[in-house]
Amino acid sequence: MEYLTRMLNQLKDDKNFKFHPKCKNLNITHLVFADDLLLFCKGDPYSVNRIYQCVEYFGACSGLEANPAKCSIYYGGVSDETKHEISNSLGFPEGSLPIRYLGLPLIRLGIFSARLWNIATALKILWSIHMNKELLWIKWSHENYLKSSSIWMVKARKGDSWMWKQLLSIRDKCTDMCGGIDNLIQLLSSCCNNSKIKISDIYSRLSPNTPQVAWHDTVWEDLSYPKHQFILWLAVQDKLQTQDRLLRHGIIQNSVCKLCDCSISESRNHLFFECNLSKKVWNGIMEWLNFKWRSCDWHTLLNWFNFRLRGKGMKQKIKRMAFAATVYTIWNERNCRIFNLESKAPDILMKNIKIDVLTIILNSQSSNCREWGFSI
């Protein structure tokens, strides 16, 4: 990427190339985030094509080429005629705000409370601007929006960006909520540790005190894979898009369980542990875990994990991991049968669950599975 950066930096020597109006003073042409690249320039065909020529040349040299299906162009203050000319030249579709990353809007983070986490994130950004740190994006903000004003006093203007207006809107709401700017600054200052401020600390200060749900430890077992936790979290709240829910919303015309191919409606309670395939998988996992009892009832299992399976020992953790892995595997198998027309036998599903659990155990510092005599 350093090679691409050098190529893009040379554009400042091209008198016909024009920077994005908000990036001109700092000569910003691009930003790199993980494996994503954001390119900025004025919305005229020449500047756009010049910046894309750099990308194409970089691709020819490195073999790293842009995927048109994953690229978008975002315009501001550009005529429809110019948009059409640029789109025909590059072949990229026009994007729309808010920008989505990995399928999620970038302005909504976390799964605890998207609204509060979004507010906490915005407040951290406001605090960073307030502290006037020596970072490129903060310099850019001061150059384009603040000038001689304060982040706590500046007013939104008509030509300001959508994101900037959102930040100021959240600032005003939090100011009212805290009873004034001084109280808001004091709250943010209390979340600082060695001049660093954490979003989680702000989130905690903003969150109302609520009792912990009974299924917290079952769902959020710290050794489980995040994808397993997330699917189990949705299943516990009966928020997965099972066919009975889709039928109620008028999205599909009938509801049939694809795991056992019977006429029984696909509900959360039937899909997990009650249908014939789920019973075979879960009973096999219970035998593998040396359970002394068997059950394929959703409510019975969840209540047992919530109220009877207590403790933080490795055996308890393994059972919680297996529960989450089984729910995830069954849901994944259901989706494969519906969307990919592919199916796996129960023994293959059990093997996948065991591999997931054992992989976590073998990579855990507190792993101790020999006493159970685990095998795949």
Side-chain angles (χ1 to χ4, degrees):
M1 297 309 293
E2 292 182 0
Y3 178 63
L4 176 61
T5 297
R6 289 199 299 269
M7 293 179 59
L8 292 170
N9 287 339
Q10 292 175 0
L11 291 175
K12 65 178 182 293
D13 298 326
D14 185 343
K15 296 181 179 180
N16 294 320
F17 174 81
K18 296 180 176 59
F19 288 93
H20 188 283
K22 296 292 185 179
C23 302
K24 182 178 180 180
N25 292 337
L26 297 176
N27 290 340
I28 299 175
T29 56
H30 65 289
L31 294 174
V32 180
F33 174 71
D35 58 350
D36 291 319
L37 176 65
L38 302 177
L39 299 168
F40 308 95
C41 70
K42 188 173 182 180
D44 65 90
Y46 178 85
S47 298
V48 172
N49 280 284
R50 282 290 288 118
I51 207 169
Y52 187 58
Q53 286 173 9
C54 294
V55 176
E56 285 188 314
Y57 187 76
F58 171 75
C61 295
S62 65
L64 301 174
E65 298 182 354
N67 184 346
K70 296 183 178 179
C71 296
S72 300
I73 308 175
Y74 295 85
Y75 300 97
V78 178
S79 66
D80 292 338
E81 182 180 352
T82 303
K83 288 182 183 181
H84 183 72
E85 183 177 353
I86 294 175
S87 296
N88 288 341
S89 174
L90 301 185
F92 297 153
E94 181 179 355
S96 59
L97 294 174
I99 299 174
R100 302 179 74 86
Y101 182 70
L102 298 179
L104 297 174
L106 288 184
I107 62 168
R108 295 186 181 272
L109 306 171
I111 56 176
F112 305 106
S113 171
R115 183 183 64 84
L116 282 181
W117 194 266
N118 182 38
I119 292 174
T121 304
L123 288 176
K124 181 181 179 181
I125 294 174
L126 291 169
W127 183 256
S128 298
I129 298 174
H130 166 69
M131 297 300 292
N132 197 15
K133 295 181 179 179
E134 292 297 316
L135 296 176
L136 178 61
W137 70 269
I138 295 181
K139 290 181 179 178
W140 182 90
S141 298
H142 279 269
E143 175 68 29
N144 288 279
Y145 291 117
L146 297 180
K147 300 297 183 180
S148 59
S149 183
S150 164
I151 186 60
W152 309 114
M153 303 302 296
V154 67
K155 301 296 183 181
R157 297 170 297 183
K158 184 177 180 180
D160 289 345
S161 71
W162 174 87
M163 185 63 75
W164 182 258
K165 292 178 180 178
Q166 292 297 310
L167 284 175
L168 298 186
S169 175
I170 291 176
R171 177 205 64 186
D172 295 339
K173 291 179 181 178
C174 292
T175 299
D176 295 337
M177 182 175 62
C178 294
I181 292 177
D182 292 338
N183 291 339
L184 176 58
I185 293 176
Q186 185 177 357
L187 181 146
L188 295 176
S189 179
S190 65
C191 296
C192 288
N193 184 15
N194 296 327
S195 73
K196 294 183 178 180
I197 189 168
K198 293 183 178 180
I199 298 177
S200 57
D201 290 342
I202 304 174
Y203 178 88
S204 298
R205 297 296 179 90
L206 298 176
S207 300
N209 294 325
T210 56
Q212 183 171 293
V213 292
W215 44 261
H216 177 274
D217 292 339
T218 301
V219 172
W220 304 116
E221 165 56 49
D222 54 3
L223 289 183
S224 293
Y225 286 122
K227 62 181 180 181
H228 295 177
Q229 295 174 332
F230 183 72
I231 295 300
L232 180 57
W233 175 68
L234 291 175
V236 166
Q237 301 184 89
D238 201 8
K239 296 297 184 181
L240 288 171
Q241 294 301 319
T242 50
Q243 292 192 45
D244 63 330
R245 287 173 57 85
L246 297 177
L247 181 63
R248 290 197 301 268
H249 292 129
I251 298 176
I252 59 177
Q253 300 303 317
N254 55 57
S255 172
V256 177
C257 178
K258 296 297 183 180
L259 296 184
C260 54
D261 288 325
C262 61
S263 59
I264 299 178
S265 176
E266 184 198 76
S267 64
R268 188 272 312 267
N269 293 357
H270 171 79
L271 181 65
F272 299 106
F273 313 129
E274 288 183 7
C275 85
N276 292 332
L277 182 141
S278 298
K279 285 181 180 179
K280 292 179 182 179
V281 172
W282 181 240
N283 282 330
I285 295 300
M286 293 185 82
E287 182 179 356
W288 181 62
L289 294 175
N290 295 331
F291 275 86
K292 296 180 180 179
W293 56 282
R294 300 287 185 272
S295 175
C296 289
D297 177 78
W298 172 265
H299 294 293
T300 300
L301 283 168
L302 187 60
N303 287 335
W304 186 86
F305 273 90
N306 291 344
F307 302 106
R308 300 292 297 277
L309 185 65
R310 300 179 180 179
K312 299 293 184 180
M314 197 60 191
K315 287 186 177 181
Q316 290 85 351
K317 288 179 174 292
I318 290 173
K319 290 180 178 179
R320 284 190 285 264
M321 283 190 290
F323 183 62
T326 302
V327 170
Y328 173 84
T329 300
I330 292 174
W331 180 250
N332 188 60
E333 174 65 14
R334 175 260 191 196
N335 290 338
C336 286
R337 294 191 177 200
I338 293 177
F339 301 111
N340 300 334
L341 302 180
E342 299 174 355
S343 62
K344 297 183 181 68
D347 58 334
I348 299 298
L349 298 179
M350 286 187 284
K351 183 177 181 179
N352 291 341
I353 295 170
K354 295 175 183 179
I355 290 175
D356 282 344
V357 173
L358 289 176
T359 299
I360 298 174
I361 294 173
L362 295 174
N363 285 282
S364 172
Q365 295 180 354
S366 59
S367 63
N368 184 13
C369 58
R370 291 183 180 179
E371 59 180 294
W372 279 27
F374 280 157
S375 64
I376 297 178

